[in-house]
Each structure stands twice: as C-alpha cells, then as structure tokens.
Amino acid sequence: MEPGFWHDKWQSQQIGFHQSDINPFLVKHWESLKLDGKGKVFVPLCGKSLDMEFIAAQGHEVIGSELSALAVSQFFEAAGAKAQSSTLGEHVLHSAQGITLVEGDFFTLDSALLAGCSGFYDRAALIAWPAEMRIDYVRKLAALIPAGTPGLLITLDYPQEALMGPPFAVSPDWVQEFIGAYFEVTALESQDVLADNPRFVKKDVPWLSEAAYLLVRK
C-alpha cells in the first residue's frame, strides 16, 4: 500500500478498480446530499473515474486527489481536454472543464484547498486501504472536510479471507464504528453484486455486496 504499489498498478494498467461506466449508486443517490448551489465537490483517490464527469455535469466544481500522474493524464485525454497545470507546494494542480485533479499524496493535502467545499464522494478510496491503514485515511478525510458537509460513500463487503484486496472488504459495522466517530452515517442501500464482478466469481468468493451511505461531517 506504499505509493510505489499504486504507481506500479497504473504503469502496468492493472486497474481493475476503474469502472468503465458511471457508478449506478452515484446516479441514484446523488440527490440525497441535497447540495445547495454549485460548490466544490471533493473526490479522494479519484483515479480517472468517469464519476467526476457526472458530478461536474450537475454544475459542481470537482476537486480530485490522485497520486498517479499517469491516471491524471489519462483522465483528461479521455475527456478530450487540455489541462492547465500549476504547482501548489508539493502538489501539481491540473484543471480543465470545471475539474481540478491534485496530483500528489492525499495525506499531505492542505485543508485550505477545500475551503468552501460543499460535498464529497468516495467510491474507491476507503476500500483501497487495508484495515490497519483505513483509520488513518478516515482521520485525514475528516480533517479536510468542513463541519456540516455531506458526502456519498460507496463500499464493498465480502469475506476478506476469500480474496486478497484491494479492494478491501468494509462492513456496515466498520463504517458505523470508525467513520461514525467523525461523520453522521445513514445507510442508503445495499445490493448483491457478485454476478457483476467476474474476478470475485473466479476466486470463489461466496458473496459480494455494494453499499451506499450518506455521510455528514460532525
């Protein structure tokens, strides 16, 4: 889970975590955030997710955090956009069409970057971390997100012993206990998605559920 792990994944294009379509839970539950106006929406560990284009299409300015320069370039290339780049401390900001991707370490982001943030979206960030690192991620996210800010969290859960992550299994109890320390948590929906994930079927994982939660920073 060190930075080199993810750089290697992108370099070899072993990016099974990337979804080729917009996540259905995002489309279905985005209005649950009840966002006023057209403010900033933060997307941690964003990769080259098409979900950012959906959020931008709702009129929001998207701020994505991504370690891999390759992921950033592939996102804008696929969007047919030429990004303008600038430096901010140890990070590089790439912006085009209402989307800014902040290239660099998520854990060194300055909360000033998210001043005025009105929402956030986590589809592949929390589940990217093993249990021993996941709490550090939650603490950092909580430090970045202003009080009262809503967000949409999407997780996967399965018997962890059946498959080596990432993505790692995150149970509803884990969400309530550890994320609930910083955010108000409301479970929105859970679905059986095993049949839609051939990798899990091939590894004989007995069940796989995807869940959506509404979070509000305390």
Side-chain angles (χ1 to χ4, degrees), residues 1 16 18 28 51 54 56 67 74 84 94 96 116 127 148 152 198:
M1 293 299 101
H18 175 70
K28 184 174 181 179
D51 293 350
F54 171 85
L67 179 67
Q74 288 182 357
Q84 300 296 314
H94 308 269
I127 61 176
L152 182 63

Side-chain angles (χ1 to χ4, degrees), residues 38-209:
K38 303 296 182 182
K40 298 178 184 176
V41 172
F42 179 51
V43 184
L45 281 64
C46 61
K48 58 177 182 178
S49 173
L50 298 178
D51 293 350
M52 292 187 287
E53 295 188 8
F54 171 85
I55 296 171
Q58 312 312 304
H60 297 286
E61 177 186 352
V62 175
I63 308 292
S65 172
E66 174 51 47
L67 179 67
S68 169
L70 186 56
V72 172
S73 64
Q74 288 182 357
F75 172 80
F76 286 114
E77 181 180 354
K82 182 174 178 57
Q84 300 296 314
S85 300
S86 61
T87 58
L88 180 64
E90 63 182 76
H91 295 85
V92 182
L93 278 58
H94 308 269
S95 301
Q97 299 179 350
I99 298 175
T100 296
L101 301 190
V102 184
E103 177 195 336
D105 187 350
F106 166 80
F107 289 100
T108 60
L109 287 176
D110 190 326
S111 59
L113 186 66
L114 298 182
C117 178
S118 62
F120 64 97
Y121 172 65
D122 178 337
R123 197 278 302 173
L126 184 72
I127 61 176
W129 303 104
E132 62 271 19
M133 300 179 71
R134 197 178 301 140
I135 295 175
D136 289 337
Y137 165 76
V138 172
R139 287 173 179 159
K140 179 61 177 180
L141 180 65
L144 291 170
I145 299 298
T149 303
L152 182 63
L153 169 68
I154 298 175
T155 64
L156 292 175
D157 192 21
Y158 61 92
Q160 188 66 83
E161 66 276 7
L163 183 69
M164 179 69 71
F168 293 96
V170 178
S171 70
D173 287 345
W174 196 98
V175 171
Q176 293 291 343
E177 179 178 357
F178 293 101
I179 296 182
Y182 304 94
F183 297 86
E184 298 291 343
V185 178
T186 302
L188 298 174
E189 185 177 358
S190 180
Q191 287 187 5
D192 177 2
V193 294
L194 181 61
D196 300 325
N197 290 269
R199 175 192 172 200
F200 288 80
V201 174
K202 184 177 180 181
K203 295 293 185 178
D204 295 321
V205 176
W207 57 269
L208 174 68
S209 62

Side-chain angles (χ1 to χ4, degrees), residues 6 9 18 177 214:
W6 295 108
K9 287 291 187 184
H18 175 70
E177 179 178 357
L214 171 65

